[in-house]
Amino acid sequence: MSAKTIVILGGGVGGLVAANELARQLSSQHKIVLVEKNTVHAFAPSFLWVMTGNRSTPQITRGLQQLLLPRIELVSSEVRSMDLAQRHVETSKGFLSYDYLVVSLGAELAPETVSGLPGDFHTFFTLEGSARLRDALRSFDRGTIGVVICSLPYKCPGAPHEAVMLIDNLFRRRKIRRQVDIHLFTPETQPMPVARPELGHAISEVLRQKDIHFHPEHKLTSVNSEVKELDFGNKGKFQYDLLVAIPPHRSPRVVRESGLANATGWVSVDRATLATSQTGVFALGDVTLIPLPGRWKPDVPLALPKAGVFAHAQAQVVARRITAEISGSVVRDQFCADGYCMLEAGEGLAGFAYGNFFLEPSPQLNLKTIGRTWHWGKLLFEQWWLSTPGFKRDVLASAIKMGGRFYGILAII
């Protein structure tokens, strides 16, 4: 067996899982290289807790090398280009040749594509933005807050709904909730339209009970920050005192220029194998576009949500398929699109939505009753993810052996 080099682009959820899985399964003669420009890894699901002041930056960040198994070579560099014909990648530190390439570069934010959106806009989709928003919310004591999903698709479909419920809880704790009006705007027809209508209605009802105003089918056209006004075209205009934006998402430039991206700007892959049209090249996570059965509007097909749970599962499939190909064994692993989402509701409570996203004729998701169990499960997962790779394996083995409600949650994750 000749030695192979596997290059993984991106050190987010998918890249980390793929690298560590390959390191566990492949013999040491094979080289595993992870390219990531950021040397510090931030746990994005906890950005909302930074926004509420329940987490600080050190609590949800780790040195990237700390989360990787020792045999993995970390190249702290920016990816500049991919030459798929010559099978090499150009980084800011030189060229890397590969036998297998895993593209896990995620989605980047493109706020400049929204007319009038100020450069210092508030958002909880970055660590720095979450910290700034925390400070803005602390000094806010009355007025109207507009949380706006600027366009589709965006990462973590449940995050905006979690955010408005956590913001609601912040002001209830300060006993000034009646002085604050909270609105959530989205181009979607319902919360999480990839789910069945019943789930969307259930989330809408929770928002209504909390006196959070939900505005579906509102596509933002422009922002006038001087007069603090949002323009939704034929849906009218809206005055705000504090704007929180989920900016447009797009694939990174290097992906769009590589020839991997399709007309939508995202990477098409085989939905079961995550293989691209290029031999030996796989793509996973937020950078991909995977069609689903059904439509959320007559002219808009459903697509797999951009969420860490899918990047995690896809990375495991890709790593196992590469391992099988290299070892000459039968390749069996396929991505099945079983997914879940824990929805923070404030007051130490959370819901749990889960289901099969590849189910015909359309995805079917279920929502567990909101309670403390799912909030504790999210806390456990946060600590598990931020631990070292060796500790993760030990905890997972213990969880499976010990069983129990909360260990069971961790074992399922």
Side-chain angles (χ1 to χ4, degrees):
M1 184 191 306
S2 61
K4 303 295 183 184
T5 297
I6 303 97
V7 174
I8 302 161
L9 306 181
V13 171
L16 279 170
V17 172
N20 284 327
E21 190 76 12
L22 284 164
R24 292 187 184 105
Q25 296 190 34
L26 286 174
S27 65
S28 58
Q29 74 178 111
H30 304 294
K31 187 176 181 180
I32 303 165
V33 182
L34 178 68
V35 183
E36 169 57 53
K37 63 183 178 181
N38 297 311
T39 58
V40 175
H41 176 83
F43 186 60
S46 295
F47 289 177
L48 288 172
W49 288 337
V50 173
M51 176 193 77
T52 61
N54 295 105
R55 290 290 185 277
S56 64
T57 295
Q59 287 177 305
I60 66 164
T61 55
R62 296 291 185 274
L64 187 58
Q65 190 73 67
Q66 180 183 342
L67 301 178
L68 294 170
L69 289 169
R71 63 166 293 194
I72 298 167
E73 179 184 345
L74 175 61
V75 177
S76 300
S77 175
E78 184 176 0
V79 181
R80 289 181 173 172
S81 66
M82 292 181 276
D83 190 327
L84 305 177
Q86 298 299 317
R87 301 176 77 85
H88 68 238
V89 174
E90 181 188 5
T91 77
S92 54
K93 292 184 178 179
F95 289 86
L96 294 169
S97 296
Y98 64 83
D99 296 290
Y100 291 91
L101 180 66
V102 180
V103 181
S104 184
L105 289 167
E108 66 179 23
L109 305 183
E112 69 278 6
T113 62
V114 178
S115 176
L117 185 65
D120 60 348
F121 72 99
H122 289 292
T123 188
F124 47 83
F125 266 64
T126 67
L127 179 56
E128 298 79 9
S130 297
R132 281 204 319 112
L133 179 55
R134 173 199 60 210
D135 296 340
L137 291 171
R138 282 176 177 171
S139 62
F140 194 85
D141 56 12
R142 65 175 58 247
T144 300
I145 299 176
V147 180
V148 185
I149 300 168
C150 294
S151 66
L152 307 175
Y154 60 93
K155 298 181 287 186
C156 193
H161 313 92
E162 292 182 277
V164 291
M165 289 190 284
L166 291 174
I167 290 171
D168 163 82
N169 190 52
L170 275 177
F171 290 110
R172 289 186 189 278
R173 292 208 313 262
R174 291 172 57 189
K175 302 187 185 304
I176 58 170
R177 178 63 177 88
R178 291 187 178 182
Q179 297 169 209
V180 179
D181 214 13
I182 304 172
H183 294 254
L184 173 59
F185 299 89
T186 179
E188 301 157 306
T189 54
Q190 66 168 62
M192 301 171 67
V194 72
R196 56 194 172 91
E198 291 82 358
L199 180 59
H201 294 330
I203 297 174
S204 295
E205 180 59 21
V206 173
L207 297 179
R208 187 193 66 79
Q209 291 174 2
K210 292 178 178 291
D211 199 26
I212 297 168
H213 307 282
F214 178 62
H215 305 274
E217 298 186 275
H218 275 63
K219 177 69 173 71
L220 182 67
T221 60
S222 65
V223 179
N224 187 332
S225 57
E226 291 186 2
V227 297
K228 295 188 175 182
E229 184 178 77
L230 305 174
D231 190 341
F232 293 101
N234 60 10
K235 292 287 185 177
K237 297 181 179 181
F238 178 82
Q239 300 290 142
Y240 66 85
D241 296 295
L242 177 64
L243 172 62
V244 183
I246 295 89
H249 289 43
R250 65 186 175 199
S251 66
R253 175 197 57 78
V254 66
V255 172
R256 300 195 304 272
E257 295 177 355
S258 68
L260 279 178
N262 59 27
T264 68
W266 306 101
V267 181
S268 295
V269 294
D270 182 288
R271 75 175 197 174
T273 69
L274 289 309
T276 71
S277 58
Q278 301 292 318
T279 302
V281 180
F282 297 82
L284 57 88
D286 295 343
V287 78
T288 65
L289 178 70
I290 300 179
L292 296 180
R295 296 174 177 271
W296 66 271
K297 288 177 69 175
D299 58 337
V300 183
L302 293 175
L304 189 73
K306 298 184 183 300
V309 63
F310 296 123
H312 191 143
Q314 291 168 353
Q316 291 176 319
V317 169
V318 168
R320 291 165 187 167
R321 293 188 74 88
I322 290 175
T323 299
E325 285 188 24
I326 290 175
S327 63
S329 57
V330 177
V331 180
R332 289 194 174 92
D333 285 86
Q334 293 190 348
F335 175 60
C336 63
D338 288 338
Y340 60 87
C341 177
M342 295 176 188
L343 293 165
E344 288 289 300
E347 302 177 280
L349 305 173
F352 185 79
Y354 66 96
N356 180 352
F357 285 76
F358 282 170
L359 190 67
E360 299 281 357
S362 63
Q364 294 293 312
L365 274 73
N366 299 292
L367 181 65
K368 289 288 189 180
T369 302
I370 290 176
R372 298 195 183 279
T373 298
W374 310 118
H375 172 70
W376 288 334
K378 192 167 184 176
L379 290 171
L380 281 171
F381 182 69
E382 175 197 56
Q383 296 306 305
W384 176 81
W385 180 260
L386 292 170
S387 61
T388 63
F391 177 77
K392 287 179 185 178
R393 295 190 74 190
D394 294 342
V395 169
L396 186 57
S398 298
I400 294 171
K401 181 183 291 185
M402 295 177 67
R405 178 182 294 178
F406 306 120
Y407 289 105
I409 292 172
L410 184 58
I412 291 170
I413 294 170

